Amino acid sequence: YTAVVLSMVDAITWGGLFLLVAGGCVLAAAFLHRYLPETRARTLEDMTEYFARITNDPSILDLESTMDEGGCHQVDHDDCEGIALT
């Protein structure tokens, strides 16, 4: 990596390299802001269901519906016996 960085410094100077890296950071931040959802005031279950829906993962959606039907959404999960959570 040192040879690559030094070659880039020779080509575009230290200031140019800094601007190139800063531009990459700005692009990464814009991408994350655009494509990652806001998670404030959402539960882990809500986020799991959200990502299962956008990725079309039926196993998670089936598990969520099975747990909701059986009353397994409670914290202690006493009534969830027999449901495989793996």
Side-chain angles (χ1 to χ4, degrees), residues 32-52:
L32 293 174
H33 180 71
R34 170 70 176 104
Y35 291 106
L36 287 181
E38 175 60 51
T39 59
R40 188 180 318 147
R42 292 188 183 173
T43 64
L44 182 58
E45 289 80 12
D46 292 341
M47 296 309 302
T48 301
E49 185 176 342
Y50 171 79
F51 283 114

Side-chain angles (χ1 to χ4, degrees), residues 18-70:
F18 175 79
L19 289 176
L20 184 68
V21 171
C25 290
V26 168
L27 289 175
F31 175 82
L32 293 174
H33 180 71
R34 170 70 176 104
Y35 291 106
L36 287 181
E38 175 60 51
T39 59
R40 188 180 318 147
R42 292 188 183 173
T43 64
L44 182 58
E45 289 80 12
D46 292 341
M47 296 309 302
T48 301
E49 185 176 342
Y50 171 79
F51 283 114
R53 288 191 190 285
I54 66 171
T55 58
N56 295 321
D57 185 359
S59 63
I60 297 296
L61 296 174
D62 292 343
L63 178 63
E64 288 289 324
S65 66
T66 302
M67 291 176 71
D68 286 342
E69 290 170 2

